[in-house]
């Protein structure tokens, strides 16, 4: 399941209160690697997430303060939240097999 952030309160609900692992994708519409990575994330979550993993897409141009709060300095910037804590993160594009492994690890 994939969500595009609508408000900071929406982030709080999805990431900290959903009871699921949240993969947060900090991106921008103008970012080429972001445009390539987001569909891979969506496909992996739809294929392997088993309802236990969600994707939360955060446009850094719309939510600058939120991006600053998480020290986002380059994009794509991916943070994996479990039980309200960041348990894994990476910056930049990753191939589909790595993304599939990431989602499967947190869906089990």
């Amino acid at each position: 399941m994939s969500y595009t952030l609508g408000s900071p309160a929406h982030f709080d609900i999805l990431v900290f209160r959903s009871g699921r692992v949240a993969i947060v994708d900090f991106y921008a519409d103008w970012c080429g690697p972001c445009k390539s990575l987001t569909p891979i994330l969506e496909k992996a979550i739809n294929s392997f997430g088993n309802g236990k993993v969600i994707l939360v897409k955060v446009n850094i141009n719309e939510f600058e303060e939120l991006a600053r709060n998480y020290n986002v300095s380059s994009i794509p910037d991916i943070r994996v939240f479990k039980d309200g804590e960041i348990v894994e993160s990476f910056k930049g594009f990753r191939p589909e097999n790595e993304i599939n492994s990431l989602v499967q690890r947190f869906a089990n």
Side-chain angles (χ1 to χ4, degrees), residues 16-108:
F16 299 112
R17 299 182 192 183
S18 72
R20 296 180 278 184
V21 173
I23 297 178
V24 178
D25 176 11
F26 289 98
Y27 75 98
D29 292 332
W30 49 262
C31 169
C34 300
K35 290 179 183 180
S36 298
L37 182 60
T38 299
I40 293 171
L41 287 163
E42 290 172 334
K43 181 180 174 187
I45 287 172
N46 289 335
S47 297
F48 307 112
N50 298 326
K52 297 177 184 176
V53 181
I54 61 173
L55 176 63
V56 180
K57 299 182 284 187
V58 179
N59 186 322
I60 64 165
N61 293 316
E62 294 177 23
F63 298 99
E64 292 176 18
E65 186 174 343
L66 188 57
R68 265 194 310 275
N69 289 347
Y70 285 96
N71 298 312
V72 174
S73 58
S74 63
I75 52 174
D77 185 322
I78 306 301
R79 312 288 174 98
V80 181
F81 288 81
K82 183 176 182 181
D83 299 324
E85 300 291 326
I86 297 172
V87 293
E88 193 161 333
S89 65
F90 67 85
K91 295 179 188 312
F93 181 81
R94 294 291 187 276
E96 187 170 357
N97 64 324
E98 286 184 31
I99 300 300
N100 290 345
S101 294
L102 173 79
V103 172
Q104 288 173 331
R105 211 167 46 247
F106 288 102
N108 295 325

